[in-house]
Amino acid sequence: QVQLVESGGGLVQAGGSLRLSCAASGRTFSRSTMGWFRQAPGKEREFVAAISWSVSQTRYADSVKGRFTISRDNTKDTVYLQMDGLKPEDTAVYYCAVDRSWYRAASSLASDYDYWGQGTQVTVSA
């Protein structure tokens, strides 16, 4: 059974940093795209960042470009999201997601991902 477990969320002041982690288990995902999405209260889930299986391709939402960095450790089936320069508008529940297919490009579409974590809350105070 595939399981994705996020950690690292919390409360931080504007301008601060957090590092999210998502550990996958149940099968290996070293050949799969991994990504992060977020959902703020009253809003739809939106794409944040994605990284291809080979780490050669990354993709970011314009709203986080230059502030967030996605990375992965294929030996641990874990994806990370380093968030710097946090803003109150970054407040949301952050979800990691994994594509069950192999060797696909990093995608910003939620429909391209098959497995989802339970989410971790990130709150940025002004």
Side-chain angles (χ1 to χ4, degrees):
Q1 182 178 354
V2 174
Q3 194 170 18
L4 304 180
V5 179
E6 300 107 332
S7 60
L11 173 64
V12 64
Q13 289 187 332
S17 299
L18 283 174
R19 189 191 193 210
L20 305 183
S21 300
C22 173
S25 62
R27 53 164 281 188
T28 183
F29 291 103
S30 60
R31 300 179 181 88
S32 301
T33 292
M34 305 181 86
W36 289 95
F37 291 74
R38 67 186 182 186
Q39 187 167 19
K43 295 187 177 181
E44 293 188 354
R45 189 171 298 189
E46 65 175 3
F47 169 75
V48 176
I51 186 166
S52 65
W53 67 278
S54 66
V55 306
S56 63
Q57 182 188 28
T58 56
R59 186 187 293 265
Y60 295 93
D62 288 342
S63 59
V64 306
K65 204 171 292 184
R67 299 187 298 121
F68 291 10
T69 303
I70 189 170
S71 61
R72 65 189 291 167
D73 184 341
N74 284 342
T75 66
K76 299 179 180 179
D77 283 327
T78 299
V79 61
Y80 306 96
L81 186 67
Q82 177 66 42
M83 305 185 294
D84 300 317
L86 282 162
K87 305 175 181 179
E89 51 263 44
D90 294 318
T91 294
V93 177
Y94 284 70
Y95 299 89
C96 71
V98 180
D99 181 352
R100 79 170 70 186
S101 301
W102 289 359
Y103 308 129
R104 297 218 297 189
S107 172
S108 62
L109 299 177
S111 57
D112 283 340
Y113 295 86
D114 303 287
Y115 304 110
W116 294 81
Q118 81 289 348
T120 185
Q121 177 70 46
V122 171
T123 303
V124 184
S125 62

